[in-house]
Amino acid sequence: MPRSDSAISVIENPQVVIKDLNLYYGASQALHDLSFGIPAGQVTALIGPSGCGKSTLLRCINRMNDLVDGLRVEGSITIDGENINDPTLDVIELRRKVGMVFQKWNPFPKSIYENVVYGLRIAGIKERTTLEEAAEKSLKRAALWDEVKERLHQSAMGLSGGQMQRLCIARAIAVSPEIILMDEPCSALDPRSTARIEELIRELREEYTIIIVTHNMQQAARISDYTAYMYLGELVEYGPTQQVFTVPVKKETEDYITGRFG
Amino acid sequence: MSKKFWQQGEPFVWATGLALSLILFLTMLLLYVVIANGLMVFWPKQVALATLSDGRQLLGEIVREEVIPGGQAKRLQFKIGNRDLYGLDFKWVDASSITSMSFPQNVQVLERQEFGNFYGFLSELEVKGLAPPATGSNSLEQTIAALDSRKKEVSLLGKKIANLNRRVEMIDHRLIQAHYDKEENTPALAALQGEKEGLKTEFEALVGILNEKGAALATNQAIFLDANGRTKAIPLVNIVRSYQPNAMSVLAKCGYYLERMRELFLDEPRESNTEGGLFPAIFGTIMLILLMSVLSFPLGVLAGIYLREYAKDGYLVRLVRIAVNNLAGIPSIVYGIFGLGFFVYGVGGSIDQMFFPERLPTPTFGTGGILWTSLTLGLLTVPVVIVATEEALGAISPGIREGSQALAATKLQTLTRILLPMASPGILTGFILAMARAAGEVAPLMITGVVKLAPALPLDGVFPYLHLDRKFMHLGFHIYDIGFQSPNVEAAKPMVYVTTLLLILIVLLLTSTAIHLRNRMRQRYSVTDV
């Protein structure tokens, strides 16, 4: 049985199916024959040493890589049965369905409220009450409401780093995506803010499919249900987190996880 | 020791501080010269009556005093005015040859429509058709004021005649057009001909009245004596203002100063621009800058957006960028010549061929005008705006763009809702620089539409109100013109200072408005990391 099918078959009824994915930056290849399925309503962690292509893979899932010049993708990624690499696909629709939170928080220089409702305004929603309700709901969901409810109309630039990152999560939630991509969301935060965000991710799992890239092995172990270990653009091992961390099949995975490598 | 001394960086601090103070010193010196001279121009000066050793007398303002080289002796420069009597306004006199000097209370200074100032003593008034002239110290002022309503009447007549002229001209154009269109002997044309004849008779009647009234006004005159007793008759209509500086109190001098300020801001220039007001030049300068901004600012911002956001980065874009940066280094006169060749003769000439053939060979748009000058200046400043826009957009972190696009915003939405507001302070900075540069340019204006004396403003109450084809006046050109091109440079010097001061103030006003706007934007869209 070829490797790709075994990786997909780990998951029953996957929501996102990556099949024979190859990605090239000009002449150099960054991702090699990736194939695996990602389950709905779970947290899937992508781990691996720097430069292994985990962020690149993540950015393929909402076609964020479209912005990069000289980048070429082969193979398919299907979400709910629809191939998102289809050139006729509406990228805007895709991104409405697949939200993203970045490593470095990036709130807009607007008020907290305007940040949260930005995606809704972009989608053409104008009714004040709808926007206000959505803002409150998203901020509550992102566990930020109590801290900012008094100053919704002040600049988001006055928040702390951890608060800004939760604001970015609230902003992503506000447009009701099905999948949220997180690119090392805690790497620039102190342990306390990290703990809050991890807690938040565990709570959000009930409503959203979450795919998270992380450098932090413990974090992956703590918050994810499935873990994919990548090395040099290839998928080395993929399975339930418990299994990957306790009884890894591959020697390389074990070396990385135990800290002998990476 | 010395190595450590150099490494500590102390000398470098000195060097930087010294450089800054040098620049500040030179700038302050320039401002001091302009402000000190410019502000004092309108303050009435004492007029001295000097008796020379040969018995002759001299009446004038003491302008300058200097030591004769090689001794302790001094010489004084007097502004003696009376150009129509003496030929020269200024005279140098050795201090040693002055036997006595006094400041008589009854010295009369006249500002006249022509021949500059007159200094002398009032002898008698010859007034016709008015109540007998008042007597007393200010009889002259009162009589001049009494003539005011009649002067207004005459100038109103002049305006009426100009209006008639314009209407006749329009009918002429219409008739020529009809001729071109092979339209002959229609009733409409006949009616036009009739109207033209009517206007012509009306015109001649008005001219007759005007000449009559003008001549009658001119017979009212005052006889003056100069320092040596020569008499001079001056028609009262030629006197713009008369005062006795030696008899004025400080309050009266302040009143005079304010009156001159009012004249400066609101009146037309006289005496080939060396006297009178600067209103048309102020108006022209501000209108030019605003028009230039309206034309070039959107163009520059759009081009900058395209270069940064849409153009695929490559060899060609880099070439364009280098070219844009170099455009800012081309001498402005080259832009002027391009503007003359392309805008004035090329575009303007074609417009005349297409839309105003009946007026040819007199050009309408095919000659210098405020539209072409603004376009030329716009071309000159647009690189600054492009570069500023590009830099401002480029300075926004990619994370912000990705954040917006990840929220399903299109590129256009990201641009209009996030990037442009964030870039606006930077873009405005470029705009301020562009505006300041445009305000200071003179060379390209001289060949694309600025004139020494414009008969009408480019914006007035006559349809179509905005006359972009008209030539206009400009403070920068005014400085060059009166300072270096006027026949009487020494007499024009005070006006050069005043004009310079005014130009600096206008640039300051415009740029500080833009800076204020930018600071508000900056406050609103600043991205400060915690």
Side-chain angles (χ1 to χ4, degrees):
Chain A
M1 193 191 264
R3 195 178 62 181
S4 62
D5 291 340
S6 74
I8 293 171
S9 63
V10 168
I11 311 294
E12 279 182 39
N13 295 327
Q15 187 178 19
V16 181
V17 179
I18 296 161
K19 199 154 189 294
D20 303 323
L21 191 74
N22 285 293
L23 184 140
Y24 307 85
Y25 282 115
S28 71
Q29 191 171 0
L31 299 177
H32 300 264
D33 290 323
L34 294 182
S35 293
F36 63 107
I38 292 166
Q42 306 279 342
V43 177
T44 304
L46 305 177
I47 62 168
S50 294
C52 71
K54 50 195 190 307
S55 283
T56 307
L57 172 61
L58 191 75
R59 293 163 64 93
C60 284
I61 301 172
N62 68 345
R63 297 241 323 244
M64 217 54 194
N65 286 330
D66 285 9
L67 305 174
V68 181
D69 278 341
L71 187 130
R72 191 159 48 86
V73 181
E74 284 170 8
S76 72
I77 299 176
T78 49
I79 297 178
D80 296 330
E82 195 179 4
N83 182 6
I84 64 160
N85 282 341
D86 183 347
T88 61
L89 178 108
D90 183 0
V91 180
I92 300 301
E93 278 304 315
L94 170 70
R95 289 184 187 152
R96 214 161 270 160
K97 193 170 168 182
V98 184
M100 188 164 191
V101 176
F102 296 84
Q103 174 177 10
K104 178 73 187 167
W105 49 85
N106 51 2
F108 307 127
K110 293 169 175 270
S111 69
I112 294 169
Y113 173 77
E114 283 300 326
N115 262 283
V116 179
V117 300
Y118 180 77
L120 297 171
R121 282 201 196 278
I122 288 294
I125 295 169
K126 289 195 180 78
E127 299 93 283
R128 212 186 142 92
T129 46
T130 316
L131 292 175
E132 277 169 359
E133 277 166 24
E136 180 173 345
K137 195 172 145 228
S138 314
L139 284 169
K140 279 184 173 157
R141 204 73 194 81
L144 192 61
W145 176 253
D146 290 334
E147 291 158 63
V148 300
K149 65 184 171 197
E150 304 294 326
R151 48 169 173 153
L152 281 180
H153 296 283
Q154 289 175 24
S155 170
M157 295 296 139
L159 298 174
S160 73
Q163 287 173 325
M164 284 198 201
Q165 193 60 296
R166 273 180 282 147
L167 178 64
C168 290
I169 294 174
R171 195 170 72 177
I173 295 172
V175 289
S176 320
E178 290 174 22
I179 302 168
I180 300 177
L181 310 175
M182 295 190 175
D183 191 356
E184 301 189 43
C186 304
S187 67
L189 292 175
D190 61 86
R192 205 162 166 187
S193 303
T194 303
R196 294 209 62 164
I197 301 231
E198 284 183 10
E199 199 181 319
L200 178 60
I201 292 170
R202 275 200 296 271
E203 285 171 21
L204 291 176
R205 174 172 58 187
E206 293 155 19
E207 286 173 59
Y208 309 98
T209 304
I210 294 175
I211 307 171
I212 180 169
V213 163
T214 177
H215 251 107
N216 183 328
M217 226 59 61
Q218 282 77 32
Q219 187 175 63
R222 279 196 299 268
I223 61 172
S224 69
D225 303 299
Y226 288 84
T227 298
Y229 170 58
M230 290 172 67
Y231 181 60
L232 292 179
E234 289 183 49
L235 183 67
V236 179
E237 183 156 355
Y238 179 54
T241 301
Q242 192 99 29
Q243 182 197 317
V244 173
F245 275 83
T246 50
V247 281
V249 181
K250 298 269 171 60
K251 176 82 168 48
E252 298 102 298
T253 317
E254 194 183 339
D255 285 350
Y256 183 70
I257 287 165
T258 53
R260 247 171 287 166
F261 163 79
Chain B
M1 177 259 159
S2 83
K3 195 175 175 194
K4 199 178 162 201
F5 172 76
W6 284 106
Q7 274 177 348
Q8 274 180 337
E10 197 78 355
F12 185 66
V13 178
W14 293 345
T16 51
L18 210 64
L20 182 66
S21 4
L22 192 69
I23 292 165
L24 276 183
F25 172 73
L26 290 174
T27 314
M28 298 305 264
L29 189 70
L30 173 85
L31 283 180
Y32 170 77
V33 168
V34 170
I35 291 172
N37 285 295
L39 286 182
M40 284 317 292
V41 168
F42 296 144
W43 192 255
K45 287 171 203 67
Q46 299 276 323
V47 176
L49 178 68
T51 310
L52 306 181
S53 47
D54 61 3
R56 281 187 304 130
Q57 287 193 309
L58 197 69
L59 194 63
E61 296 169 10
I62 300 172
V63 186
R64 240 186 310 184
E65 195 178 318
E66 65 180 35
V67 175
I68 298 168
Q72 297 297 312
K74 281 184 177 173
R75 63 180 160 216
L76 303 171
Q77 189 185 27
F78 286 83
K79 183 180 181 187
I80 52 174
N82 307 9
R83 202 183 307 151
D84 41 349
L85 288 182
Y86 311 146
L88 286 171
D89 300 70
F90 291 85
K91 193 177 175 77
W92 282 102
V93 176
D94 285 356
S96 58
S97 66
I98 298 174
T99 52
S100 74
M101 192 139 72
S102 64
F103 297 91
Q105 292 282 305
N106 62 342
V107 174
Q108 197 83 38
V109 181
L110 304 180
E111 282 163 28
R112 298 182 292 178
Q113 293 284 8
E114 47 189 10
F115 300 120
N117 282 5
F118 182 87
Y119 300 90
F121 304 95
L122 179 64
S123 163
E124 59 179 306
L125 280 166
E126 288 177 7
V127 182
K128 284 166 195 155
L130 278 177
T135 47
S137 62
N138 58 353
S139 58
L140 183 62
E141 280 87 342
Q142 282 177 0
T143 319
I144 293 173
L147 281 179
D148 222 38
S149 64
R150 293 215 264 159
K151 268 162 100 176
K152 281 206 179 105
E153 219 175 293
V154 170
S155 79
L156 206 69
L157 267 177
K159 272 183 195 152
K160 266 189 191 161
I161 290 172
N163 234 332
L164 278 180
N165 253 334
R166 197 158 38 229
R167 278 166 67 192
V168 170
E169 197 183 337
M170 275 167 76
I171 292 175
D172 275 340
H173 289 152
R174 178 73 191 82
L175 289 174
I176 296 171
Q177 196 165 28
H179 177 71
Y180 284 164
D181 295 348
K182 305 265 182 285
E183 198 183 324
E184 307 273 353
N185 301 328
T186 60
L189 284 186
L192 275 177
Q193 285 285 7
E195 195 185 341
K196 187 179 162 186
E197 293 309 318
L199 287 175
K200 269 193 170 164
T201 40
E202 200 180 332
F203 174 82
E204 264 143 36
L206 279 180
V207 169
I209 299 172
L210 178 72
N211 287 342
E212 206 175 293
K213 292 208 168 183
L217 256 183
T219 56
N220 294 305
Q221 55 181 14
I223 314 291
F224 289 89
L225 297 174
D226 83 339
N228 293 312
R230 269 171 81 180
T231 58
K232 170 78 189 164
I234 297 171
L236 294 184
V237 274
N238 282 357
I239 299 174
V240 176
R241 199 177 287 112
S242 102
Y243 58 100
Q244 297 180 326
N246 295 352
M248 275 165 117
S249 65
V250 173
L251 203 66
K253 285 185 179 178
C254 287
Y256 172 82
Y257 191 89
L258 289 178
E259 159 61 18
R260 286 294 300 268
M261 280 304 215
R262 187 203 61 77
E263 183 191 39
L264 179 76
F265 284 107
L266 300 178
D267 280 358
E268 313 259 321
R270 299 192 313 269
E271 284 253 37
S272 66
N273 297 354
T274 57
E275 301 276 337
L278 290 172
F279 176 70
I282 297 172
F283 190 89
T285 307
I286 293 178
M287 186 163 166
L288 172 70
I289 296 175
L290 293 183
L291 205 59
M292 187 267 331
S293 308
V294 168
L295 293 173
S296 85
F297 188 53
L299 205 67
V301 172
L302 288 177
I305 290 173
Y306 182 81
L307 272 182
R308 174 63 64 178
E309 299 293 324
Y310 292 106
K312 211 163 174 263
D313 199 30
Y315 186 68
L316 194 67
V317 166
R318 249 170 281 161
L319 207 69
V320 169
R321 204 165 280 153
I322 291 170
V324 166
N325 280 310
N326 280 328
L327 271 183
I330 294 177
S332 52
I333 189 75
V334 177
Y335 283 99
I337 295 165
F338 175 78
L340 181 71
F342 180 71
F343 291 129
V344 178
Y345 294 153
V347 182
S350 311
I351 290 177
D352 278 358
Q353 296 278 350
M354 275 185 277
F355 300 105
F356 305 104
E358 74 276 10
R359 299 189 192 178
L360 287 173
T362 313
T364 308
F365 276 96
T367 177
I370 195 165
L371 176 65
W372 307 135
T373 317
S374 322
L375 282 171
T376 307
L377 266 194
L379 197 68
L380 186 139
T381 54
V382 93
V384 183
V385 180
I386 294 178
V387 171
T389 306
E390 257 210 282
E391 303 273 308
L393 285 172
I396 298 170
S397 81
I400 294 278
R401 289 157 206 266
E402 289 186 340
S404 172
Q405 301 207 341
L407 283 167
T410 62
K411 197 158 183 172
L412 182 65
Q413 285 169 326
T414 306
L415 199 61
T416 53
R417 291 177 191 230
I418 304 285
L419 300 182
L420 281 182
M422 282 181 80
S424 57
I427 295 175
L428 276 173
T429 304
F431 179 54
I432 293 165
L433 290 174
M435 227 163 63
R437 172 148 194 221
E441 279 299 346
V442 175
L445 313 187
M446 285 162 57
I447 49 179
T448 53
V450 160
V451 284
K452 181 187 177 80
L453 198 66
L457 296 175
L459 184 71
D460 62 16
V462 180
F463 183 81
Y465 311 116
L466 186 63
H467 307 276
L468 293 179
D469 56 319
R470 282 195 185 159
K471 296 186 196 303
F472 64 105
M473 294 171 70
H474 184 266
L475 287 171
F477 178 70
H478 209 80
I479 295 171
Y480 167 73
D481 177 54
I482 59 179
F484 300 97
Q485 303 290 298
S486 85
N488 194 352
V489 173
E490 192 70 26
K493 210 162 78 179
M495 212 56 185
V496 175
Y497 284 120
V498 172
T499 312
T500 312
L501 190 61
L502 210 56
L503 182 56
I504 292 176
L505 283 179
I506 286 176
V507 175
L508 205 67
L509 190 79
L510 288 171
T511 50
S512 57
T513 314
I515 287 172
H516 177 72
L517 192 69
R518 176 188 65 184
N519 289 350
R520 280 186 51 178
M521 292 286 194
R522 194 175 268 168
Q523 231 166 24
R524 212 164 139 197
Y525 297 111
S526 72
V527 188
T528 35
D529 265 350
V530 180

